[in-house]
Amino acid sequence: MLTYAEAIKLVLTHISPLPPVEKHLDTACGLVLAEDVHARWAQPPADNSAMDGFAFNFAACAGLETLPVVGQSYAGHPFDGPVPEGVAIRIMTGAPLPEGVDTVVPLEDVVEGPATIQLSRPCHPAQHVRVAGEEFAQGEKLISAGTCLHAGEIGLLAAAGIVQVRVYPAPRVAVLSTGDELVELGQPPKAGQIVNSNLHLLSARLREAGAEVIPLGIAKDNAGDLEQRLTSGLQADLLLTSGGVSMGDRDHVQEALEGFGFERIFWKVAIKPGKPVLFGKIGRLPVLGLPGNPAASAATCEIFALPAVRKLGGQPQPLAPTLSARLATGIEAGGSRQVFLWGRLHFDASAGYIFTPSDRQSSGQMRAMLHSGALLPLAAQAAAIEVGAQVQVLLMRLPGGAV
Ligand code: AMP
Ligand code: MG
């Protein structure tokens, strides 16, 4: 049976980033840039004041005790014309420095007369001036291809006049739930029925990872219904199914996929939970068959589907980041498969990040993932790990309130 390392390598080599698209900057947050972006102009466009105060020519005013104030420059309302030597103008933050002046004294460093100022503290030439182009020059490369755009990048690009950006689109992920026992959320389950909770778990997590989710509903455990519902997922960028990939009498997903020319790349990986996971392609469409057990569905989503989504979305690092954390409880030795343990992450001011494995790790329980911020991979045949040991966890999200 394949190891996780072998299996995820296969997934990532069979998936390429989606073709880039042009997007308005305001709709590009969370997407990855497909090309380098250069500034359309310099910032600031002209020398301007970094303080509310008075501006004058330092050399021309040296030795003068009192300076006449002959005008003003406000942001959006610059002083008209050059400033004569030996005088000052009132200037506010962001206002352009007119020709003839090079130095700004803040309001709090002067004594104001009716139309004059006296400096109350020594000043230096060119102080409190933001020089044209000091933030970036026209044509300067601001952000490289492969960068995920967040607020800081969006603000910088807006300042540089970038309206449209070339980005990898959010991957569209079709999710098909399978099982005769399932009912949609909102429908009261009858005897023997349960809610299709995997759809909601998977959708939430996929959206957190930046995907657009296309729910395909619930397919009954027969090839006809499965095929009919799968048809609506063929236009997606990734097709996920939940359930029906084990060895059971009613596990018909693989057979239904074959009706669409599915080429299997692997089935079954030496992991716990999630052993029956299936991966292959229908033409160019990658397909992941996740097991139906909720914690197995969630774990295989985390370790296979999310890296696939990140790769489709152009992320240069599709695997989850790892974080060093201390174990809050000891862990038993590993068995024949690599185990992925759900756990809570919190930050302790003296001990750093602490990982507390969930006390429910059963693949059949949705509660295994409750409050989980990370997964701890435990290699097959690994020795037991003692409480307090430093471990590397796969980060899902950082806890709030860290100091
Ligand atoms: P399967 O992989 O289809 O054999 O399902 C394994 C277990 O997961 C069974 O107990 C199913 O009832 C349960 N299960 C399958 N699909 C879902 C789902 N969409 N939501 C919640 N539980 C599910
Ligand atoms: Mg089933």
Side-chain angles (χ1 to χ4, degrees):
M1 211 181 300
L2 285 183
T3 64
Y4 172 63
E6 291 163 342
I8 189 62
K9 200 168 166 199
L10 281 171
V11 170
L12 295 177
T13 48
H14 279 90
I15 291 180
S16 308
L18 295 171
V21 292
E22 292 273 325
K23 283 240 171 210
H24 188 278
L25 187 62
D26 284 337
T27 59
C29 191
L31 300 178
V32 174
L33 268 184
E35 62 186 13
D36 296 349
V37 185
H38 298 83
R40 290 184 60 197
W41 46 65
Q43 181 83 343
D47 293 357
N48 70 79
S49 178
M51 300 288 285
D52 295 332
F54 293 88
F56 52 86
N57 185 296
F58 185 85
C61 296
L64 299 180
E65 275 187 10
T66 304
L67 298 179
V69 177
V70 300
Q72 61 270 322
S73 181
Y74 294 146
H77 303 277
F79 181 83
D80 195 11
V83 175
E85 290 192 352
V87 303
I89 59 158
R90 205 173 162 79
I91 195 162
M92 297 296 128
T93 305
L97 245 66
E99 200 186 320
V101 306
D102 60 7
T103 300
V104 172
V105 282
L107 287 175
E108 49 274 35
D109 287 357
V110 302
V111 179
E112 284 188 66
T116 58
I117 52 163
Q118 265 187 317
L119 304 197
S120 54
R121 290 177 55 178
C123 72
H124 314 286
Q127 70 174 28
H128 303 308
V129 173
R130 303 166 176 159
V131 180
E134 76 175 22
E135 184 167 12
F136 51 78
Q138 183 175 17
E140 183 178 332
K141 182 165 97 174
L142 294 177
I143 309 184
S144 304
T147 305
C148 187
L149 297 177
H150 296 297
E153 289 76 25
I154 302 269
L156 180 67
L157 294 183
I162 308 301
V163 182
Q164 298 280 122
V165 280
R166 225 172 143 63
V167 287
Y168 297 99
R172 293 160 309 144
V173 183
V175 180
L176 178 67
S177 308
T178 74
D180 288 344
E181 74 282 28
L182 301 179
V183 294
E184 295 294 10
L185 176 63
Q187 263 179 276
K190 299 195 183 108
Q193 294 185 321
I194 57 166
V195 172
N196 174 15
S197 52
N198 284 358
L199 169 70
H200 302 279
L201 169 90
L202 296 172
S203 300
R205 192 61 183 132
L206 289 163
R207 289 192 186 109
E208 280 184 332
E212 242 174 63
V213 176
I214 308 165
L216 301 181
I218 300 168
K220 296 281 178 205
D221 289 318
N222 64 73
D225 198 34
L226 279 161
E227 276 175 30
Q228 198 198 324
R229 294 202 177 256
L230 282 170
T231 312
S232 342
L234 299 179
Q235 301 309 316
D237 301 315
L238 172 66
L239 173 59
L240 291 188
T241 61
S242 127
V245 287
S246 302
M247 303 286 280
D249 298 348
R250 296 295 178 91
D251 291 334
H252 298 305
V253 167
Q254 205 163 163
E255 183 188 323
L257 288 169
E258 277 157 12
F260 296 94
F262 175 73
E263 282 177 59
R264 187 166 92 193
I265 295 163
F266 63 75
W267 180 37
K268 295 183 183 165
V269 179
I271 54 172
K272 188 181 170 186
K275 182 173 103 175
V277 63
L278 169 72
F279 175 64
K281 281 175 126 177
I282 298 174
R284 291 173 50 82
L285 171 68
V287 183
L288 271 166
L290 311 182
N293 271 319
S297 226
T300 46
C301 175
E302 207 61 43
I303 62 175
F304 289 109
L306 296 194
V309 164
R310 296 186 196 109
K311 178 107 194 232
L312 287 164
Q315 298 272 8
Q317 306 280 6
L319 296 177
T322 57
L323 184 83
S324 188
R326 261 179 212 290
L327 263 187
T329 57
I331 286 177
E332 288 172 19
S336 59
R337 291 180 269 159
Q338 179 168 17
V339 178
F340 290 86
L341 294 169
W342 300 98
R344 185 195 288 245
L345 206 57
H346 75 274
F347 187 79
D348 179 272
S350 52
Y353 286 103
I354 310 279
F355 179 80
T356 311
S358 169
D359 51 10
R360 296 176 191 244
Q361 299 286 348
S362 154
S363 66
Q365 291 209 5
M366 203 46 104
R367 286 186 77 163
M369 291 87 71
L370 186 67
H371 306 310
S372 278
L375 273 174
L376 171 60
L378 183 68
Q381 318 301 349
I385 311 179
E386 285 183 5
V387 58
Q390 204 77 29
V391 289
Q392 296 294 319
V393 295
L394 301 179
L395 184 64
M396 296 167 66
R397 66 189 66 81
L398 282 172
V403 286

